[in-house]
Amino acid sequence: MQPLYVFDAGVGAVSGNDVDPFEVLREHVAAWLRGPVDGEPTAADLGTAAGPRPLYGGRTVEWTIEGSGDATAVRVTVTQPLTGGVGRFVTRVTASCIEGRAGLRVVMGREVPGGWIAPVEDPLLRRPGLLRAVAADGRLCLHVLGQRVTGRYEGIREAAQTAVLTESLASRTRLPMLLVHPREDAAWTAARQAAGELIGLAQVVTLNYGTARELHRLMPAVAVPDGGARLVWPEPAAGHPMYSRAEVAEAGTRARWMRTLAELAVVARGSDRGWDAARRAAQRAAARQAAERLAAARRAGDVVRQLAAYEERVTRLEEDVAFWEAEAQSLTTRLAEAGDADNARQEAAYWRDLYVKELKRDDAGAGEPADPWAAVPALTASDPAAAYRALEAASDGRIAFTPGAERTWRTSGYPYAEEMREQLVTLAKAAVDLYTQPPENMPLLTDWFKTQHGLTVALSDLTIKKDKKLRYFAFDGDDRRDGLPHVKVRDATSHGEVGRIHFALDPGKRRLIVDHVGVKKY
């Protein structure tokens, strides 16, 4: 079999659950084999080896048992024809328990008849439903490289959490990490599906505007494109590929992530340690039993029994030789394939570097993601209009600034101009999301601003609510725009440092209208 995907994890019981993880794994394997059809096999059936038998969907299954004492394993092999009838797609599952530690290994690959020389379409790799069921079982916990894997993405929503993320990213003994900055429903769907498909291959982490900006400040080398994603390898010197907002929403991108990480897992996951340990235990037990029978026959002077014992030992040794010859051949084949893959990677790197150099010849900014927000100029007291017009253009009109916004910034004396600029950029991005790709189930608006964009927004203020002059403003033919909603840029400090951005919601024209940028109004 040519392996295309390997999942390998330790399996334990969640604290407080008195279950045997190995037995629970066998139950899940049996349920996966049955699929929507009731009946066989059951978990008990997997305790005894069985030859090929048909399954629903045109598949065939067989399983074998190895082990003795405190080391046991069951290996299930499911095959089905490849599209076009050339070769077979194989899924091999090993559930093991070695000295009380359970493990689950899933290998997917293809078998093509010897001598076949013709293009064979690569099968579409999808995470087996077995892994989804095991990950969702609240009694079990899965660990890969010491990290718990759940098949769900981890959301980083607060700046303080970003420091923890950077510590994780700095580790060289972790899984690859896919950082996603979702800005629309399609991107959230992509993050959720990627987390499930890539379980055990990569950890998926979602960022909002605030945490993405903080990550860029702390670790510029792994900054995530606006609305896009970045695949961060455990090796700092490796190139960490970036994906645009449009690419993240494409199903083909998720397929590329799966294939890339699956190929690397085939090399990294090595041999089936659980199965090998169980096989060695069985071999040792058989050797001990044979030695005991031979010793008993010698003591009794029974030549016939001695010959039978010798024949049994020879048979066992022949089986061992055949096994290790097959393992050696498999390793030789994998080594040759690894050499071919290395040559392919070198050639791909050559053409990629040549392509990037060609782009840079025409465009000094090539290789960097296009980011219209980066062109927003500094917010100066003498000319805030330049920054405001740039924000209006970058947001496609989803945010607008009144003359009052220019006047209040010029006269405010707010000392943290760059911080205010960053908050305005984030508010403009939030306006794009709010009016271009509104979420299906909208939470409280203040919660949405906080969790998705890291903005602290209040929709009311008792003092301003009672003062019409502070509350309302005129703009674009409407004399009663409600400027009560505001962003709290800074708080709990001296008045000259309490930053505020007041804006009105304009659902008719699908925009936010900013009328005050500066210090607190009162």
Side-chain angles (χ1 to χ4, degrees):
M1 177 178 71
Q2 177 194 3
L4 301 174
Y5 167 99
V6 178
F7 170 91
D8 202 330
V11 183
V14 172
S15 178
N17 282 280
D18 186 19
V19 296
D20 181 345
F22 179 64
E23 292 302 322
V24 176
L25 283 177
R26 291 207 304 182
E27 292 171 3
H28 279 296
V29 172
W32 171 64
L33 292 175
R34 292 193 302 271
V37 182
D38 293 331
E40 297 180 343
T42 66
D45 293 332
L46 297 181
T48 305
R53 61 171 68 180
L55 283 177
Y56 76 97
R59 303 181 302 161
T60 302
V61 63
E62 60 182 306
W63 58 88
T64 55
I65 312 296
E66 279 287 9
S68 177
D70 60 356
T72 186
V74 55
R75 172 179 281 180
V76 177
T77 302
V78 178
T79 60
Q80 62 190 89
L82 283 171
T83 303
V86 180
R88 304 184 302 170
F89 187 75
V90 181
T91 302
R92 182 173 293 156
V93 177
T94 303
S96 61
C97 184
I98 311 301
E99 296 180 348
R101 293 190 295 273
L104 177 64
R105 181 181 175 91
V106 179
V107 181
M108 295 189 296
R110 62 184 172 193
E111 290 181 345
V112 179
W116 178 269
I117 302 177
V120 178
E121 183 179 354
D122 287 336
L124 178 64
L125 293 177
R126 300 292 304 272
R127 169 207 58 187
L130 170 66
L131 295 185
R132 179 177 61 249
V134 172
D137 192 323
R139 300 169 295 174
L140 301 177
C141 56
L142 306 177
H143 290 89
V144 178
L145 295 178
Q147 304 168 63
R148 183 165 185 183
V149 294
T150 64
R152 299 185 296 274
Y153 63 75
E154 184 73 25
I156 303 297
R157 300 175 177 176
E158 302 289 343
Q161 295 176 306
T162 313
V164 179
L165 174 62
T166 57
E167 291 179 6
S168 300
L169 289 169
S171 173
R172 301 183 67 171
T173 58
R174 61 168 175 82
L175 288 169
M177 198 172 294
L178 181 63
L179 306 178
V180 186
H181 179 198
R183 286 188 56 190
E184 55 192 1
D185 289 342
W188 282 108
T189 299
R192 183 176 65 255
Q193 292 180 349
E197 289 293 320
L198 302 178
I199 182 172
L201 304 180
Q203 299 279 48
V204 178
V205 174
T206 61
L207 305 170
N208 59 28
Y209 285 118
T211 54
R213 186 173 62 245
E214 180 69 4
L215 179 63
H216 183 278
R217 186 183 71 82
L218 296 173
M219 297 183 74
V222 299
V224 181
D226 181 54
R230 191 159 201 160
L231 184 57
V232 184
W233 305 113
E235 172 54 54
H240 309 298
M242 293 184 293
Y243 305 88
S244 69
R245 177 176 180 173
E247 287 178 303
V248 169
E250 294 174 358
T253 302
R254 297 193 289 280
R256 292 204 305 275
W257 290 336
M258 179 66 158
R259 186 164 297 282
T260 298
L261 291 163
E263 289 175 353
L264 294 173
V266 169
V267 178
R269 297 292 181 257
S271 61
D272 191 339
R273 294 184 298 272
W275 181 258
D276 292 345
R279 184 176 179 82
R280 287 194 297 271
Q283 290 170 339
R284 288 193 297 267
R288 285 194 302 270
Q289 293 169 3
E292 291 170 358
R293 287 194 293 271
L294 179 59
R298 284 173 175 170
R299 287 193 298 270
D302 190 332
V303 177
V304 174
R305 287 171 58 195
Q306 290 182 54
L307 287 174
Y310 279 123
E311 288 175 357
E312 182 182 351
R313 176 175 290 186
V314 169
T315 300
R316 173 63 68 170
L317 290 173
E318 288 175 343
E319 291 175 353
D320 291 345
V321 169
F323 171 78
W324 291 114
E325 284 180 345
E327 286 293 300
Q329 181 59 48
S330 174
L331 291 173
T332 301
T333 302
R334 288 177 58 192
L335 185 60
E337 290 174 350
D340 293 341
D342 187 57
N343 292 336
R345 281 194 294 272
Q346 291 178 11
E347 184 176 353
Y350 168 80
W351 287 109
R352 181 195 65 216
D353 293 343
L354 187 64
Y355 176 66
V356 171
K357 288 177 183 177
E358 200 63 31
L359 285 177
K360 287 185 176 179
R361 185 174 301 163
D362 298 327
D363 179 4
E368 295 297 324
D371 185 2
W373 309 102
V376 176
L379 187 63
T380 63
S382 61
D383 186 24
Y388 293 169
R389 300 294 86 78
L391 287 168
E392 289 171 344
S395 67
D396 291 330
R398 297 306 172 196
I399 194 167
F401 292 85
T402 70
E406 297 181 26
R407 182 179 61 256
T408 52
W409 177 251
R410 286 197 184 98
T411 59
S412 71
Y414 187 72
Y416 306 107
E418 181 57 25
E419 178 186 46
M420 184 64 79
R421 173 190 170 279
E422 291 179 355
Q423 291 281 290
L424 287 171
V425 169
T426 303
L427 181 63
K429 291 178 177 180
V432 173
D433 283 356
L434 182 63
Y435 289 118
T436 304
Q437 294 288 343
E440 294 179 358
N441 298 310
M442 187 68 180
L444 289 174
L445 193 57
T446 52
D447 292 344
W448 181 82
F449 273 113
K450 187 66 174 178
T451 58
Q452 301 303 320
H453 300 275
L455 291 170
T456 302
V457 170
L459 300 180
S460 186
D461 181 294
L462 290 178
T463 299
I464 296 176
K465 192 174 183 179
K466 298 175 182 178
D467 190 325
K468 294 181 179 181
K469 291 183 179 180
L470 291 178
R471 178 171 182 175
Y472 297 105
F473 65 92
F475 181 73
D476 197 14
D478 188 338
D479 295 335
R480 197 176 173 82
R481 303 279 185 180
D482 191 347
L484 193 56
H486 56 279
V487 179
K488 295 183 177 181
V489 181
R490 286 201 177 203
D491 224 349
T493 183
S494 61
H495 182 269
E497 296 183 350
V498 178
R500 292 289 187 270
I501 302 169
H502 282 264
F503 61 89
L505 298 164
D506 185 3
K509 293 189 175 180
R510 303 175 64 80
R511 62 183 176 175
L512 301 182
I513 304 173
V514 177
D515 184 61
H516 176 96
V517 181
V519 298
K520 193 173 182 179
K521 286 187 174 183
Y522 59 90

